[in-house]
Amino acid sequence: MSEEKFDRGTALTVFPSDRHEDFMALVLSLIIALLVYVFVV
């Protein structure tokens, strides 16, 4: 099997790694959900 590196598809990111980007997206989504909960309920 060939050991090719996975192609991310784009290099336009401000994060050093995919894991960091995913973690920040999770944190941002939780903050948005919390704000929606606070202002709606």
Side-chain angles (χ1 to χ4, degrees):
M1 288 194 329
S2 104
E3 296 291 331
E4 294 181 10
K5 186 177 177 185
F6 177 73
D7 182 21
R8 296 178 62 182
T10 180
L12 299 175
T13 181
V14 296
F15 300 105
S17 69
D18 283 340
R19 183 167 294 168
H20 193 116
E21 185 175 0
D22 292 341
F23 180 75
M24 290 307 293
L26 176 64
V27 170
L28 183 61
S29 64
L30 289 175
I31 291 171
I32 291 171
L34 179 63
L35 289 174
V36 168
Y37 179 77
V38 167
F39 287 110
V40 171
V41 175

